[in-house]
Amino acid sequence: MARARVRYACQECGYSAPKWLGRCPECGAWNSFIEEAPVEREACPGAPPAVPRPVTDIAPMALERMPTGSGELDRVLGGGIVPASLVLVGGDPGIGKSTLLLTLAAHLARERGPVLYVSGEESAQQIRLRAERLGALVERLLLFTETDLALVEEAARAVSPCLLVIDSIQTMSVSSCSSPPGSVAQVRECTAALLKLAKGEGITTFIVGHVTKEGALAGPRLLEHMVDAVLYFEGEGKNAYRVLRAVKNRFGSTNEIGVFSMEEGGLREVPNPSRLFLNERAEPVPGAMVVASLEGTRPLLVEVQALVSPAGSGLPRRVAQGVDLSRLLTVLAVLEKRAGLPLAGCDVYVNVAGGVRLVDPAADLGLAIAVASSYAGRAPHAASAACGEIGLTGEVLSCAHPQERLKETFSLGFRQILIPGRQARTLPNIPGLGILGVETVGDALRQVLG
Ligand code: TYD
Ligand code: MG
């Protein structure tokens, strides 16, 4: 039966523990733990009583998805919105979360039925202004500026919308919880209530969540466990391109990305993004290498740039934009140890053109080449791109879906690509595309840098 359990949470970072702690093991804050409101453990409402049943007796779920009106958003969701799902959209302030969701809300209001857009962030006038810019003035789009979740639930039950948008979860509160809005306990309680609403009443819900400066949603990982899908909006403020990435999806694949550009009239879809992220350059230059990466199921060609310069006194600097710093450090260590590049005395700066973030491990090889090319002051051979993960031994390891990468590389006008040796031997040829197989990182550097 349902049993309440008491837990304690750090008010600084949201770390949750079964007992009170003097110092938070996650963020190091002192005396930051407070008792959380007890969480009722209960079965999903509306679900049949749980008894063990043969898997073959369970009726298949008919996943009738709602198209969002945006091919890119559909792709990230795995082919549209699954009814009664609970989806979290996270990202930095100002990245475009409200713009995306208001556009979606207007589309569904036009095509399907009433949509309830709840905002605790902006006034109704501000939202109307945005709706004018976006061409989202639709009668069935209902705005509700409210932060009391009980009233939101009441309105949702009354309207029975085909989509409920909560902008943002950090502004909502339930009276049963004494912590302030945005605190871990409130965020958890509100999300639990929305989950109940989504599953119990079948109300499809999108929740906006702000990201803290450390990059974690308030109440780290907490929301991610409760929702069906988590989409993160990424991009640099000054750059118009925005990448929407699925980091969790119970109804589709993760790491799927959608690409948008932020323009005067809202977010425009970018169905063929590779071209955007490549610099149109007649001649290759030292320190720049094209990576044939795969983000989700989509091949994406991007340029990785590196600058290697002699370090001043003190520790050498390592700066990574668009790639994981720990990934860069590993690649530098492998270059030092396995390819004999003396990088310990150098500052290394890495940037991915266009503000894209690469999570594909197969970006390693291009990253290594960019660094070595800058170090040597020699440009990689013309028209080459690379893909392959680098192991600690210096071996170039196979990458996922090489065929997709080759096709995209060729279609963007490249005539040569470096790929892991094992895959080079087994893949069918693409006429016009030279495939260079490489076994180790040293081997790759000899081939492209001479
Ligand atoms: P917004 O959706 O409010 O961001 P978030 O909800 O994630 O905080 O978008 C903020 C930025 O987008 C803002 O700086 C203005 C810009 N913008 C446009 O360039 N064009 C538009 O049509 C709209 C609505 C916003
Ligand atoms: Mg907003």
Side-chain angles (χ1 to χ4, degrees), residues 97-98 121-122 130 167 210:
K97 301 180 294 295
S98 301
E121 305 242 319
E122 292 160 302
R130 180 182 291 121
D167 189 359
H210 291 299

Side-chain angles (χ1 to χ4, degrees), residues 264-352:
E264 269 306 297
L267 288 160
R268 192 175 58 81
E269 295 181 57
V270 181
N272 296 307
S274 283
R275 217 168 283 276
L276 289 176
F277 298 132
L278 289 176
N279 283 326
E280 296 291 329
R281 195 183 283 128
E283 291 291 315
V285 294
M289 183 69 191
V290 172
V291 169
S293 88
L294 196 83
E295 301 296 313
T297 57
R298 162 184 266 171
L300 192 66
L301 266 69
V302 289
E303 186 181 85
V304 175
Q305 302 169 349
L307 181 68
V308 179
S309 64
S313 57
L315 281 178
R317 289 175 64 92
R318 272 92 176 83
V319 178
Q321 287 277 354
V323 290
D324 206 25
L325 181 63
S326 64
R327 220 40 235 163
L328 171 63
L329 297 179
T330 307
V331 166
L332 294 181
V334 172
L335 282 172
E336 177 113 28
K337 189 87 178 172
R338 309 287 175 198
L341 251 60
L343 295 166
C346 297
D347 290 339
V348 180
Y349 304 87
V350 166
N351 181 38
V352 178

